[in-house]
Structures are given as structure tokens and as C-alpha cells.
Amino acid sequence: MTERSDHTSEGVEPDENRGIGVDKWVAESDDRRERHSGFRGRIEHLWEILPPAGKLALLTPAIVVPFLPISNGNLYNYGIFILIYALLALGLNVVVGWAGLLDLGYVAFFGFGAYIYAFLSGTHSAAGHTYTHHWGAERTIPIAVLVCALLGVFLGSSSRRLLGDYLAIVTLFFGQAFVVFTNAANPAGITNGSNGLANVDPLTFFGGRIVIDTTRGYYWFLLGTVGLLLVVLYALSESRTGRAWKASREDPLSAELMGMPVNRLKIMAFSFGAGIAGLAGSIFAAVQTGAFPQNFGTTVLIIIYAVVILGGSGSLTGMIVGAVVIVASNQALDSTSPPNLPRILFYAAVIAAVYFTLKSWPQRLAAFGGTALFGLLVHAIVGSVWSDGTAGEVTSGGFLDGAIKNWVLIPTDPSRLAVYGYLMLIVSVTVLVQLKGWWRIGVLVPTLYLTAFVWENLMIQQPSVTRQVLLGLLLIGVMTIRPQGLFGQAKVEVV
Amino acid sequence: MNANLRQQLVNLTGLGVALIAWTLIAVYFGPVPAGTSPWVFFLQLTVNGLILGSLYALIALGYTMIYGVLKLLNFAHGDVYMIGSFIGFGVLTVLGGPLSPAIPVVLLVLCMFSVAMIGSGLLGLAIERFAYRPLRDAPRIAPLISALGVAFFLENSALLLFGTSYRNYDGFTLVSYDGLHLGGDAGVFVQYLGLIVFVTAVALMIALVALVRWTRLGKAIRAVSFDREAAAMMGIDTDRVIAGTFFISSALAGAAGVMFGLLFSQIYHLMGFLAGLKGFTAAVVGGIGSIPGAMLGGLLVGLVESWANGYLNGNWSSLVVFGILIAVMLVRPTGILGTPALQKV
């Protein structure tokens, strides 16, 4: 589903989807026409000419349904998380997706927003100081957004001199400096050190005339905010500034020569993104009635990046879908989710990966059938030689308990074996990519079985770490397989 | 004398003047704990800083070499260092632990170093193969993000495998608590272990310089750093050279990891993050892409950190290091011994 192909030659106004590489686009017009024939092509074409609002409307049911089983009737809670990450991703998308600047200090703006809101709407006393601001949200949220935008200008001004990697590392330090600032420095008790600021007022507008303090209320407030922001960002991306951002991302030198103020554009992108992060932060502080330093660390940064990268940097729809997918899978890999859900998701992902990597049906059948047989064989052999090797308990097995117990090796004390298994898995995957053809199937079968072994004996017991491992893998995988993500547009190199 | 060399000489002179000025300021105005002479305190911090700096220099060398061949900042380098440290610990444990080593201590330490270096070198090869090789021709932002993914993956894998608890090398029990007293009992104290670490680091650096200067692989690495496409056209297998560079760089990081474990005893899964940042700082301060620059930068970062720890509150030492980094990047992005990158159009 590339998005840059809805053009026929009727002289319509060119839209952003055409991107910069028009030459290649023109050269591929025949291929595109070819692709649009047939049923699948027609569907793709319909999808492409659908305006963004329509896409979202179609996607909404697809978004909501998967949550029903895991939500325990608490759908609004998930909605809040998704919307906050969507908000953060939309902001990061301005910096990374449109302006093409790698901002690794982004999460600090989120933190600043939260701390500003928390500081200005609650009573805190630390280190001999007591602060009692109970300002209304109609003042605190704009203040948080403005302060963050100004900090964004400050951080962005370093992008005048620094490019690419250097900029990334300076922003990373900025994020690090934020953590030190809140945790250790704590000047005059304003951040309350590692304890953070608790007991923060809910969203209170106009001296208590409008108070939002229920989960449901927050959900609708966030939904409205995200909707509004989508409209604003859509307009922005079509505007002069939005187009200038994309041009300076593709080729700063040419953009400069065409008269675009590239440095100012970069700073604008930084401060715009920072402002949105500040907005997200202030709402986040209200939702969880507090601001705590551990909420603004590297993990959150990686999650936001995963959302942007998976959704497809540059695409607004992608940010929403990315937020849904990442937050949902994150929540599914939680210790509170229903017993078999993480397991099913994991195996489904592995099977899908194998399915798409192997191109022909005989190979696929050989891989899956071989793995099933191999498992039974190994289980039988080990079971007869070493009885403890199969006598362990299946972790949260549910209705799959029997199947797993009779297929995967689950030793009574798997701790050490699982570690070796994990290391072996890394080695065998490395070997696997070097191989071709049927050799690959031969190694794939034990590797798959090893994956199951490691999952059942190690990963499923620590879901919160596992999901971070998988997030890291996701970033690598998306980058190498489909750098444009789900909804982004492929880069077109013009030579 | 060309302009670049002149610039480097000016930088070095400036650095020398700044260091002398700092020495005088620190000795005459710096706060000193009761009962110590200001010179001894200063020299003690300097010795500690040099030992720490030799470790940072090893990490910085990895950054600089990988940056040289790929023009890429390997975010995962700090985590390779962490893994190296854990591999060293694994060897130590398998061979009986620090209290009752199964083989002579010299052999044991040698084993730890060599296994950790080979292990992290192989890890570097795998990282290159998975995260960077598919992205050779991608836009610059792509490998950075995938590097971020690798770093996150390694950190959390270590967490998954080893848990949050610290592992203890107990290096001083293993080798010796003793050391050299320079200038009598009230003088500067140099622990043997620190000395061993420093000498090992210097030996590795000399080996690296020799390798880069005199071997075929080294020549190829220099050629690829200079111009990858042209090197490929001259028949150099660039993929192989890049893989080799990753192996060497990661092996150095692994050695640094073992040294850290020996010196500071406690290792844990997040130790790579800060060390990686500091190593990167060292590489940039010295001039990224320059091997002598990375060594100089590493020593400088170690010294600054040690002085900041001695004269300021410990909380601020990393911020001071990063402040210097940002200042260097803004004022002189090419660092002390770097060459200015020409922007090709």
C-alpha cells in the first residue's frame, strides 16, 4: 500500500504523497496502472483515494475490536494510553517524519510538560519549601506548551551547527540532563527528587466550572485533543511550512538554495514537536495525578519511536495506527492480560514472519511440519533420557496447557538452560540469515523449536522485559524490512 | 605545513595551555579534604583520571573506527561493552570465582580478556550483519534508529538473562589491594590493578595503531574510511573490511568492559549507557574518525570526570562531561585532532 500512486494524468493539483522524486514517479506510471487492475488493485486504489478522515473511520472498528478481549471492560483506560502515545507520536512525527531530525531528547519535553502541570496544580512540599499553586488547566496547559516550545527552540538551536548523529547525541544528553535535573538536582525542592510530585489536581477549567476527573472524561477530552491536533497538523503539512520541512528533509542544500530558511525551519520543527509533547505531558500528569521521573526515561522514548517508525514516519494515519498497535501489544504482553494472549500473539508473529520470509509453499510446509515433528521427537527423546526435562509447569497455559506440555521441553528448573537457550537462539538466527535454500529450512526447524523453548521457559515469565526486547527487535526489523513503516511513503532517490 | 595540521597544532597548544591553567587553578583555589596537600590531591585525581580515561579511550576508539568506515554512530557500542563485561564475569565464575580461582591469576585474567574480546567481537559482527548491512544505502536516519533498537535489545536481553542484580568481579581480591606509593605514605597511591588496566589499555592501543598502519586489513580500513566507493572500485571487499572494523572495535569495547569490572567490581545491565555516552564524548572531543584523537579524548574525558568528582559534587560529574561535549561540538565540531568533513554536493 504505497500512498504515492493515486495520480492519473488529469492535471490535478499535486499532493504531498507524490513526494520529491517525481522523476521516478513518472517513470513508474505504467507499473502503477498495471497494479490497479484486478480485485486487489481496485481495493488498493479505493484505499488510496480515500481521504484521511475516511481511512480513520474505516480503521476505527479494526482498532476497537482487538481490545475487547484484553480490556476487562476497561476500554477507556486503554483508550487514554493509546491517545497519549498518539499525541506524542504526532509531535515526534513533526520533528522526525517531516523535518527529518533525529530528536532523542523528545521524552524530556513530555516530562517537562508533566512536571510543569504538576507543579502548577497541586500542593507540594519538599526540602523545606512548600508550593501551593492550584491554577486552572486553562492557564497551566498553555504555559506547559509554551515553556516546552521555548525549550524546543533552545534545543533546536543546536541543530544550526550539528547534523545527523551529532544532533542525535546532543538531544540524547538533553534527555539525560532532564533525568538528572528531576532526580538528583532538585533545586529548591521543585521536583521532589526521585519521589516525584504526587497529589496533582485533575483537569480543572475556569475555577472549577469544568472538571474532568473520570477515566471516561479524560478519554473524551484526549480524543477531542487528538482530533483537533490531527486537523491542525493536516493543514500544517499541506501548508507552506509543511512543504518546506519536507523539502529541507530531502535535501537541505537545495532547499537553502531555493530560498528556504533551513535553520529556522529546523528550529520551528523542534519547537512544534516539543510543544505537542508538553501538551501530552500536562494531560498525562493530570491523568495519573502526578509526575514521576521514571515515567520519562529511555523506555518511553523507545515506545514513542516504535510508534512513529511502525506507523510510518510522515504519515498522520500511521501515527494513530502505530499507537494502537504498539500500545495494544504492549498491554497484551502484560502480566495482567488474559492467560494465553501473549503466547498466541507471539506464536502468531513468529509464524507470520516465517510465512512471509519463505516464498514457496513446499518450503513453508516443510518448515512448519518439520518443526512440529522435530518438537515431538525431541520431547520424546529427552523425556525418556532425562525425566526432569519435561516435568516443569507451563506458565499460564490455559487451554493450550496440554499441547505445550507435550511439545515444548519444560524442565523443572529451567533457569540456566533458558539462558543458554536464549544465547543459542541468537547464534542460530545469525547463522540462519547466512544460509540459502533448503539448508535454511534445515536450520530453521531447530531454531523455531528453540524459540518456543526460550519463550516458554524464559520470556513468558518476565513479560515486561520481554516486551522491551521485542520493541528493540521491532525497531531493527521495521528499519531493515520496511523503513517507511505501515503507512509512510517510500523514499524515492533521485539521482 | 597545511592548514589542517596547523589547526591541529593550534588546538593542541590551546589544550596544553588550558590544562596548565587548570592545574594551577585547581591546586591553588580548589577545595581540598583536610590533611592532604593540594598537589597530592590533584595528582591523585589525575592518576585516577588517567586510569579511567584509558578505559574510555578504548570505547572511544570503537566509535571512531566505526564512524570512520560507515559514517555512522553506533549507539549500541556502549552495550557491547556491557556484554563484554558480563562475558568476562562468566569466565571468572566458570573458572572458580575471585576467591578460589582454579588456574593461576595471570592466566585467568588473560582468559577473561581474550574470551570477552572474542565474544564481543562476534557480537559486533552480528550487530553489523543484522542492523547495519541491510541499511547501507538507506537514508542516514535509518541506521541510527536501528542502532537505537539494537541498544535497547541488548540492554533488555541482559536484563532478561541476568536480572537487575549487580554482579561482583571483586577484582582487588583477585589481583591485589596493594599498590605503589609515590612520594611516601602521604603521597600518590597507584593501585597495581589500576596500573595493570592502564598498561593493558595502552598495549591494546599500540596494537591497534600497528594494525591500522602496517597490516593489509589496516590499509583497507584506512582506504574505506577515506572513500568507500572508491575503495570498492579498487577491488577492496568493503563489506568484509567493515565487518572487520566492527570486530576490532567491539573487541576493544569488550576489553574495556572487563577492565571496568576489575576496577570498579560492580557490573549491571545499564552500565553501557553512560559509558557509551562518555566514550562517544571522548571520540568527538578528540575528533571523530581520528585514532590518536580518540585516545587523547578518552584520557581527557577520564581526567575531567575524575577532577569533577574530586572538586565538585559527584552528581554533577557526568553533566560537566556532557557540558564540555556540547561546547566542543558547538565551537569546534571537528574536535582536537579531527579533519573537517567536506560537504559533497
Side-chain angles (χ1 to χ4, degrees):
Chain A
M1 273 188 291
T2 58
E3 277 198 297
R4 61 184 154 84
S5 43
D6 51 333
H7 270 270
T8 44
S9 52
E10 283 122 26
V12 251
E13 190 65 27
D15 71 343
E16 54 134 356
N17 290 337
R18 262 171 75 166
I20 306 296
V22 178
D23 297 2
K24 189 167 177 193
W25 185 82
V26 170
E28 284 175 347
S29 67
D30 283 347
D31 294 344
R32 269 196 311 284
R33 206 160 297 139
E34 190 73 17
R35 244 185 352 198
H36 283 171
S37 59
F39 179 70
R40 191 174 158 188
R42 194 155 297 178
I43 299 282
E44 274 182 17
H45 183 65
L46 280 176
W47 174 259
E48 279 159 11
I49 59 173
L50 202 65
K55 284 181 193 168
L56 269 183
L58 273 182
L59 285 171
T60 311
I63 286 169
V64 176
V65 170
F67 280 92
L68 294 174
I70 59 167
S71 62
N72 301 326
N74 209 352
L75 211 53
Y76 284 105
N77 238 335
Y78 288 92
I80 288 175
F81 266 103
I82 289 172
L83 288 169
I84 282 180
Y85 275 106
L87 213 53
L88 285 168
L90 286 171
L92 187 61
N93 180 41
V94 174
V95 193
V96 175
W98 291 348
L101 303 162
L102 195 62
D103 178 3
L104 298 182
Y106 184 74
V107 72
F109 297 120
F110 181 46
F112 272 116
Y115 268 94
I116 291 167
Y117 180 89
F119 183 70
L120 292 179
S121 38
T123 304
H124 314 289
S125 51
H129 298 262
T130 303
Y131 301 97
T132 46
H133 301 284
H134 287 276
W135 293 7
E138 79 280 359
R139 283 153 80 196
T140 45
I141 292 183
I143 289 174
V145 171
L146 275 179
V147 171
C148 286
L150 280 177
L151 284 168
V153 171
F154 164 71
L155 185 62
S157 57
S158 62
S159 70
R160 268 180 86 85
R161 301 285 304 256
L162 306 170
L163 290 170
D165 317 1
Y166 282 17
L167 183 65
I169 212 91
V170 168
T171 52
L172 190 60
F173 286 140
F174 181 74
Q176 203 52 31
F178 171 77
V179 174
V180 174
F181 173 75
T182 50
N183 248 326
N186 190 18
I190 57 170
T191 63
N192 200 10
S194 55
N195 294 328
L197 302 174
N199 297 325
V200 172
D201 300 342
L203 285 177
T204 316
F205 291 93
F206 307 113
R209 249 158 284 177
I210 307 173
V211 180
I212 300 174
D213 57 356
T214 58
T215 311
R216 196 171 288 215
Y218 280 122
Y219 174 77
W220 290 109
F221 179 74
L222 269 165
L223 194 64
T225 315
V226 170
L228 202 66
L229 194 69
L230 274 176
V231 174
V232 171
L233 286 176
Y234 184 71
L236 185 67
S237 78
E238 299 296 297
S239 74
R240 218 176 127 85
T241 314
R243 283 176 286 138
W245 273 335
K246 285 166 220 163
S248 69
R249 169 193 74 196
E250 294 299 323
D251 192 339
L253 192 66
S254 316
E256 187 84 58
L257 290 174
M258 301 300 267
M260 293 175 199
V262 171
N263 279 327
R264 209 195 307 158
L265 283 168
K266 285 183 189 168
I267 295 176
M268 269 175 73
F270 258 103
S271 97
F272 212 91
I276 297 175
L279 175 68
S282 50
I283 300 176
F284 181 64
V287 169
Q288 63 159 6
T289 66
F292 311 103
Q294 67 271 22
N295 286 333
F296 311 108
T298 322
T299 311
V300 176
L301 181 76
I302 299 282
I303 296 178
I304 306 172
Y305 262 93
V307 170
V308 172
I309 297 305
L310 184 74
S313 62
S315 148
L316 294 176
T317 324
M319 295 309 108
I320 309 292
V321 176
V324 172
V325 174
I326 296 289
V327 175
S329 41
N330 235 346
Q331 297 286 351
L333 278 177
D334 196 84
S335 43
T336 58
S337 71
N340 264 318
L341 191 72
R343 177 175 282 125
I344 292 171
L345 281 178
F346 180 77
Y347 285 126
V350 172
I351 290 172
V354 174
Y355 180 87
F356 286 113
T357 320
L358 300 178
K359 298 293 180 218
S360 71
W361 269 108
Q363 288 193 334
R364 286 169 186 163
L365 282 179
F368 292 129
T371 311
L373 288 178
F374 183 79
L376 291 176
L377 195 67
V378 170
H379 195 275
I381 294 172
V382 172
S384 61
V385 178
W386 179 45
S387 58
D388 275 358
T390 52
E393 291 290 316
V394 179
T395 312
S396 61
F399 68 93
L400 285 174
D401 191 282
I404 292 162
K405 206 164 167 41
N406 288 312
W407 187 64
V408 187
L409 293 180
I410 301 183
T412 38
D413 176 25
S415 53
R416 182 152 290 195
L417 275 178
V419 170
Y420 294 144
Y422 190 85
L423 298 177
M424 259 174 69
L425 184 60
I426 293 178
V427 173
S428 61
V429 171
T430 315
V431 172
L432 196 61
V433 274
Q434 311 289 345
L435 299 172
K436 291 266 179 304
W438 286 97
W439 279 107
R440 180 180 262 197
I441 307 288
V443 180
L444 184 62
V445 167
T447 307
L448 283 176
Y449 187 67
L450 195 58
T451 313
F453 175 76
V454 171
W455 170 263
E456 296 298 343
N457 287 300
L458 181 68
M459 297 175 99
I460 201 165
Q461 285 152 12
Q462 301 177 48
S464 58
V465 184
T466 299
R467 66 189 185 194
Q468 297 182 7
V469 169
L470 296 179
L471 267 182
L473 286 178
L474 178 87
L475 278 186
I476 308 170
V478 172
M479 270 297 130
T480 45
I481 296 161
R482 195 179 155 88
Q484 71 268 36
L486 290 176
F487 289 87
Q489 50 184 116
K491 279 267 190 303
V492 183
E493 290 281 333
V494 184
V495 185
Chain B
M1 194 198 290
N2 66 20
N4 188 27
L5 199 58
R6 194 177 310 149
Q7 180 68 60
Q8 291 180 359
L9 274 180
V10 171
N11 290 344
L12 278 176
T13 322
L15 178 69
V17 172
L19 280 180
I20 293 169
W22 160 249
T23 308
L24 296 176
I25 293 172
V27 169
Y28 288 103
F29 301 104
V32 172
T36 344
S37 98
W39 274 107
V40 168
F41 186 60
F42 179 79
L43 286 177
Q44 183 69 62
L45 290 177
T46 309
V47 166
N48 297 349
L50 284 176
I51 293 168
L52 187 63
S54 66
L55 220 143
Y56 290 147
L58 285 181
I59 304 175
L61 280 170
Y63 273 113
T64 247
M65 287 184 59
I66 291 173
Y67 190 89
V69 290
L70 276 187
K71 302 289 171 280
L72 164 88
L73 205 173
N74 183 10
F75 275 121
H77 199 63
D79 295 297
V80 173
Y81 153 87
M82 177 267 296
I83 298 282
S85 197
F86 271 98
I87 296 175
F89 181 77
V91 174
L92 180 63
T93 318
V94 168
L95 294 179
L99 295 175
S100 54
I103 54 175
V105 173
V106 182
L107 275 182
L108 175 62
V109 173
L110 271 181
C111 267
M112 280 158 70
F113 271 110
S114 44
V115 175
M117 285 176 76
I118 292 170
S120 0
L122 292 176
L123 179 67
L125 282 184
I127 291 173
E128 195 270 332
R129 178 67 190 77
F130 278 105
Y132 301 131
R133 193 177 294 179
L135 299 173
R136 240 354 96 79
D137 300 315
R140 271 179 73 108
I141 205 166
L144 287 178
I145 291 172
S146 116
L148 208 62
V150 173
F152 202 61
F153 171 73
L154 290 181
E155 247 166 52
N156 285 295
S157 294
L159 180 60
L160 192 67
L161 298 180
F162 310 119
T164 46
S165 57
Y166 288 73
R167 299 297 152 104
N168 203 336
Y169 262 69
D170 222 349
F172 288 103
T173 322
L174 186 67
V175 181
S176 162
Y177 286 100
D178 216 358
L180 299 171
H181 290 270
L182 304 176
D185 273 354
V188 180
F189 180 55
V190 189
Q191 266 157 333
Y192 288 133
L193 191 56
L195 210 59
I196 292 170
V197 162
F198 187 77
V199 170
T200 316
V202 171
L204 284 173
M205 287 184 229
I206 291 171
L208 178 76
V209 170
L211 186 140
V212 170
R213 188 159 292 181
W214 286 306
T215 63
R216 268 177 86 88
L217 176 66
K219 207 174 192 177
I221 288 175
R222 279 182 288 146
V224 172
S225 309
F226 193 72
D227 188 333
R228 198 163 80 212
E229 269 178 38
M233 284 174 200
M234 294 297 121
I236 294 174
D237 184 348
T238 47
D239 274 351
R240 209 170 186 159
V241 173
I242 290 170
T245 312
F246 263 84
F247 184 86
I248 295 167
S249 315
S250 306
L252 291 179
V258 175
M259 289 177 188
F260 180 90
L262 286 174
L263 270 181
F264 300 96
S265 286
Q266 291 192 316
I267 61 169
Y268 61 110
H269 68 284
L270 285 177
M271 66 186 253
F273 183 71
L274 265 187
L277 283 185
K278 283 173 187 159
F280 173 78
T281 307
V284 171
V285 169
I288 200 144
S290 148
I291 287 176
M295 300 175 191
L296 184 63
L299 293 181
L300 274 178
V301 167
L303 285 172
V304 168
E305 193 184 332
S306 168
W307 286 328
N309 268 330
Y311 291 111
L312 295 170
N313 177 347
N315 275 338
W316 293 95
S317 71
S318 8
L319 283 191
V320 171
V321 172
F322 300 147
I324 287 176
L325 166 82
I326 292 174
V328 169
M329 285 208 275
L330 292 178
V331 179
R332 185 133 296 165
T334 50
I336 298 169
L337 294 179
T339 44
L342 293 176
Q343 177 132 35
K344 280 183 219 157
V345 181

